[in-house]
Amino acid sequence: MVIDENILHSAGAEVRDYKPAENIFCEGDTPNYYYQIIKGEVKLNNYNEEGKEFIQNILTEGQSCGEAILFIDKPYPMNAEALTECSVLRLHKSIFFNLLSHSPKLCMEVSSFLSQRLYYKFIMMLNISSQNPAIRLKGLMDYLKSFQDDVTPYSFMVPLTRQQMASLTGLCVETAIRTIKHMEKDKILKIENRKILY
């Protein structure tokens, strides 16, 4: 969790509910709020000129979305779209900045979270630059598994659909499916009941 929910509530944050496919904010909107997910999943995405979706990240309970953009005077470069039924805490950015200025501990926690996001972006940029789809997919799974204590082979169940993995790595879903099957043959991962174990 980025910020304790009790702190956000006491600062006046309001709870907003979103249905699947509903936008929390859109590319081009002015950032005016800090958003933190109470429950559900949110994807950060863009669409190219042909309408193909590129998913930048999938966020879950306790994570925030779009907070880095609050620190600069720029519009959102992406959409935040609910993947599932979501409840999100929303706090006006002026109050958010006030909280940070009065709590060095909170400021460090937010900075740590922003650093994790930056790390994810660097890892994904490195992997997406590869022409090899197996390297792209393995990089994504390595990153996701890096937060688990158990790093033994096949101990991590990938919490993403093949479509989501394709969108996160810039692949078409057919290529992702085909590559995952090859990775299973090469014993890089296992598939059990359609779930990917890495």
Side-chain angles (χ1 to χ4, degrees):
M1 182 172 307
V2 184
I3 300 176
D4 185 297
E5 286 181 21
N6 293 323
I7 293 172
L8 293 173
H9 281 295
S10 65
E14 58 184 348
V15 176
R16 291 284 179 109
D17 295 316
Y18 299 90
K19 293 178 172 52
E22 191 174 352
N23 283 331
I24 296 165
F25 57 77
C26 297
E27 183 175 350
D29 287 352
T30 300
N32 289 316
Y33 295 94
Y34 170 82
Y35 297 96
Q36 187 165 300
I37 304 164
I38 300 170
K39 69 171 186 166
E41 291 185 333
V42 173
K43 64 180 174 180
L44 301 180
N45 68 0
N46 296 94
Y47 295 92
N48 68 14
E49 55 278 353
E50 287 95 39
K52 182 184 177 192
E53 179 183 38
F54 179 72
I55 298 177
Q56 295 183 20
N57 207 343
I58 295 177
L59 309 171
T60 58
E61 180 181 321
Q63 294 184 302
S64 59
C65 53
E67 70 291 330
I69 312 304
L70 291 174
F71 292 90
I72 57 175
D73 190 25
K74 301 283 183 191
Y76 286 115
M78 75 293 203
N79 307 298
E81 182 183 318
L83 273 172
T84 62
E85 297 274 334
C86 289
S87 291
V88 177
L89 278 166
R90 184 177 96 158
L91 184 69
H92 195 274
K93 85 177 196 179
S94 62
I95 301 170
F96 171 69
F97 286 142
N98 193 43
L99 280 176
L100 295 183
S101 68
H102 287 91
S103 174
K105 182 177 182 263
L106 189 60
C107 193
M108 286 302 293
E109 288 170 359
V110 170
S111 296
S112 174
F113 186 76
L114 289 171
S115 295
Q116 285 179 359
R117 286 275 174 81
L118 192 56
Y119 176 76
Y120 167 78
K121 291 286 186 197
F122 279 120
I123 295 292
M124 292 309 294
M125 275 192 328
L126 179 65
N127 290 313
I128 287 175
S129 67
S130 173
Q131 295 299 310
N132 184 332
I135 290 174
R136 292 184 187 196
L137 291 165
K138 186 175 182 311
L140 173 62
M141 291 184 284
D142 283 341
Y143 174 78
L144 294 171
K145 189 173 180 176
S146 72
F147 295 98
Q148 307 301 310
D149 292 331
D150 187 354
V151 294
T152 57
Y154 318 126
S155 62
F156 174 66
M157 187 177 78
V158 178
L160 303 171
T161 66
R162 273 106 172 129
Q163 178 64 63
Q164 290 170 336
M165 292 176 75
S167 295
L168 280 163
T169 54
L171 299 170
C172 69
V173 69
E174 295 82 8
T175 301
I177 291 167
R178 194 170 47 251
T179 303
I180 288 165
K181 287 179 183 171
H182 287 300
M183 292 171 82
E184 182 183 32
K185 285 179 189 166
D186 294 338
K187 299 190 181 344
I188 296 169
L189 54 83
K190 273 187 188 178
I191 300 173
E192 288 182 6
N193 298 325
R194 297 187 37 79
K195 300 291 185 188
I196 299 171
L197 302 176
Y198 180 68

